[in-house]
Amino acid sequence: AVQMTSADYRYYDYIIAMEQYNLRNMERFVHDDPDYKVHLLLDFTDRKGDIADPWYTGNFDITYRDVVRGCEGFLTYLEGKGQIIMN
């Protein structure tokens, strides 16, 4: 992980956080997110919310499952917008 900068907001199309705490920290760089680039990973699934940090929970399997679910949902979202083609 790296610390986000204001330049990142200008450069990247999507900025994805795993949980609300990091999302709130990002808000100081995105200035109200006028381009709607900032999302929680699970926003791309039917299970909204945070991805639990296994450092605190000790449950890496649940975290892994949620990350995979979020990534699959994000890929489906991008495909639906015509930004990628999946076979």
Side-chain angles (χ1 to χ4, degrees):
V2 295
Q3 181 69 40
M4 183 181 163
T5 67
S6 296
D8 291 333
Y9 189 80
R10 292 187 300 274
Y11 183 78
Y12 294 107
D13 295 329
Y14 296 93
I15 299 172
I16 299 174
M18 302 278 269
E19 41 86 23
Q20 285 290 331
Y21 177 77
N22 285 322
L23 190 68
R24 282 190 302 275
N25 286 336
M26 291 175 176
E27 288 174 347
R28 64 186 165 167
F29 297 105
V30 301
H31 309 292
D32 296 324
D33 192 17
D35 297 325
Y36 305 104
K37 295 180 176 188
V38 181
H39 307 272
L40 285 174
L41 184 58
L42 288 181
D43 285 349
F44 299 102
T45 72
D46 58 354
R47 184 192 163 273
K48 309 295 186 224
D50 293 346
I51 294 177
D53 187 334
W55 175 263
Y56 300 104
T57 67
N59 196 329
F60 288 83
D61 292 336
I62 290 174
T63 299
Y64 178 80
R65 183 196 67 216
D66 286 346
V67 169
V68 169
R69 182 181 293 151
C71 289
E72 289 172 344
F74 183 53
L75 289 172
T76 300
Y77 171 81
L78 293 174
E79 183 179 34
K81 292 187 62 116
Q83 294 178 321
I84 63 168
I85 298 172
M86 295 177 25
N87 293 333

